[in-house]
Amino acid sequence: MTVSPLKVGTREAPTARREAATHRFAVGQAVRFKGGYGLKADSTEIYHVTRTLPPQGNSPQYRIRNDEERHERVTSQEDLESIPSSPDQESLIERTFGRG
């Protein structure tokens, strides 16, 4: 019986690579919270994405803001859903910085 010698101090690098999570929502896009986990989906509470943030775990993060509130919130992509935009609805960026 032959035993192969042990190599001390060597490690193999893990072969599995984690895919970078991609952001589904863009800055300025209208979103709302999904229902579930005790949260009620309120269609009247519309938020706009103000910034994309690095993922936490495998879930991309966002800063969002409601026009009725003075503060921003941080939330994960899995808690949001998009709102279909209408052509006459002006985006947060356009209201803030104007057109052009």
Side-chain angles (χ1 to χ4, degrees):
M1 171 185 229
T2 58
V3 177
S4 62
L6 292 174
K7 293 182 181 180
V8 178
T10 60
R11 288 188 176 182
E12 289 186 29
T15 57
R17 283 187 147 175
R18 287 176 36 174
E19 292 293 319
T22 58
H23 288 86
R24 186 179 315 147
F25 307 110
V27 173
Q29 185 172 354
V31 294
R32 67 176 163 226
F33 283 107
K34 290 181 182 177
Y37 300 111
L39 295 173
K40 185 179 103 182
D42 188 353
S43 61
T44 61
E45 290 192 31
I46 297 173
Y47 297 85
H48 289 91
V49 175
T50 59
R51 185 172 179 183
T52 58
L53 300 171
Q56 186 165 11
N58 283 337
S59 182
Q61 303 288 303
Y62 298 89
R63 289 183 74 94
I64 59 172
R65 183 172 178 269
N66 180 299
D67 291 339
E68 305 298 318
E69 299 173 340
R70 296 182 60 146
H71 61 278
E72 291 185 344
R73 300 169 185 252
V74 174
T75 188
S76 64
Q77 182 166 281
E78 60 199 24
D79 293 332
L80 298 175
E81 61 185 6
S82 64
I83 298 174
S85 61
S86 62
D88 61 336
Q89 185 178 15
E90 196 173 34
S91 75
L92 176 63
I93 292 175
E94 290 170 336
R95 287 193 312 271
T96 305
F97 300 107
R99 296 179 195 262

